[in-house]
């Protein structure tokens, strides 16, 4: 398994600012679970990311996301399973969500490229 924290810079109103993915690396990088985290801090657990979709698309790697293949507004880094599970179980995100957190993630990620 791989756990990814994806920051969406300037996410449109009503869309999550952060998306957490539990990726099955043994099954075509499909997401098993996902958590949307919104600007006001509330979360939405998604047990089936592919429910109702026309085409199932694998979750890109952190490196692919940070290469901006899917857009300049996305920044990602790996996260620990324990952090994912705490947020999943508590339905609460205590981390930073604002632009400062996203800009910090962007600086860290681009400096490591």
């Amino acid at each position: 398994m791989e756990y990814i924290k994806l920051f969406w810079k300037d996410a449109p109103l009503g869309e999550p600012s952060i998306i957490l993915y539990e990726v099955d690396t043994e099954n075509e990088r499909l997401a098993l679970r996902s958590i949307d985290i919104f600007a006001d801090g509330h979360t939405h657990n998604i047990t089936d990311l592919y429910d109702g979709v026309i085409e199932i698309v694998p979750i890109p790697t952190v490196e692919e996301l940070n290469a901006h293949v899917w857009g300049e507004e996305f920044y990602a880094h790996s996260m620990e399973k324990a952090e994912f599970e705490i947020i999943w179980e508590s339905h609460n995100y205590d981390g930073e969500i604002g632009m400062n957190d996203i800009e910090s993630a962007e600086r860290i990620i681009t400096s490591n490229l």
Side-chain angles (χ1 to χ4, degrees), residues 4-52:
I4 297 175
K5 184 182 283 188
L6 176 68
F7 296 89
W8 187 354
K9 185 177 181 180
D10 300 325
L13 187 63
E15 295 295 332
S17 299
I18 301 171
I19 305 169
L20 310 181
Y21 292 107
E22 179 182 51
V23 180
D24 186 348
T25 56
E26 300 293 319
N27 185 19
E28 301 180 29
R29 298 195 54 79
L30 299 181
L32 295 179
R33 299 181 290 171
S34 178
I35 306 170
D36 289 347
I37 302 171
F38 296 87
D40 65 1
H42 85 274
T43 66
H44 174 70
N45 291 0
I46 301 169
T47 56
D48 185 355
L49 189 66
Y50 306 108
D51 183 35

